[in-house]
Amino acid sequence: MLKYFNFGYGQTSPIRPQGIKKTATKLATWISNVYNRSMLILTRKTGETITIGEKIQVKVLSIKGGQVRIGIDAPREINVNREEVQLQQKSTSTTE
């Protein structure tokens, strides 16, 4: 079963298991163009870690199909949320 990612402006692309890296690169390029930002793109294998600053580590725990399971080790004072949770929190705080 193919999943499709909408890149905006009517552009869609099928996401196949073998094309995830290419799709991620297209997505990062699209975000960079739309938001006029640069994005660091790193490739990691299961068990490998990315360090952000001195206190945050992101570890790839497993990769299964098109899904990546990650672990984030950060100080308690740093909020770590999935995007949809953060958006929901913002929308409820603005309606109150």
Side-chain angles (χ1 to χ4, degrees):
M1 180 169 96
L2 290 179
K3 294 183 179 180
Y4 286 85
F5 182 82
N6 185 350
F7 288 97
Y9 310 108
Q11 301 171 345
T12 58
S13 176
I15 299 175
R16 295 178 176 89
Q18 68 273 18
I20 288 176
K21 184 176 179 182
K22 186 176 179 181
T23 302
T25 303
K26 284 182 180 180
L27 175 60
T29 304
W30 179 79
I31 290 170
S32 175
N33 291 338
V34 169
Y35 294 102
N36 199 20
R37 290 181 161 174
S38 295
M39 179 182 287
L40 175 63
I41 301 172
L42 302 171
T43 303
R44 300 278 75 199
K45 295 177 183 176
T46 301
E48 294 182 332
T49 302
I50 297 167
T51 302
I52 302 170
E54 293 181 14
K55 297 183 178 184
I56 302 171
Q57 290 189 332
V58 179
K59 185 174 184 174
V60 178
L61 300 175
S62 65
I63 303 169
K64 195 175 203 179
Q67 200 170 39
V68 179
R69 188 170 175 230
I70 60 171
I72 301 169
D73 184 15
R76 290 193 182 274
E77 62 269 9
I78 296 178
N79 232 358
V80 178
N81 284 315
R82 295 186 322 256
E83 182 183 32
E84 61 272 17
V85 171
Q86 189 169 355
L87 291 173
Q88 184 180 19
Q89 288 174 347
K90 282 183 181 182
S91 68
T92 53
S93 68
T94 55
T95 57
E96 293 176 358

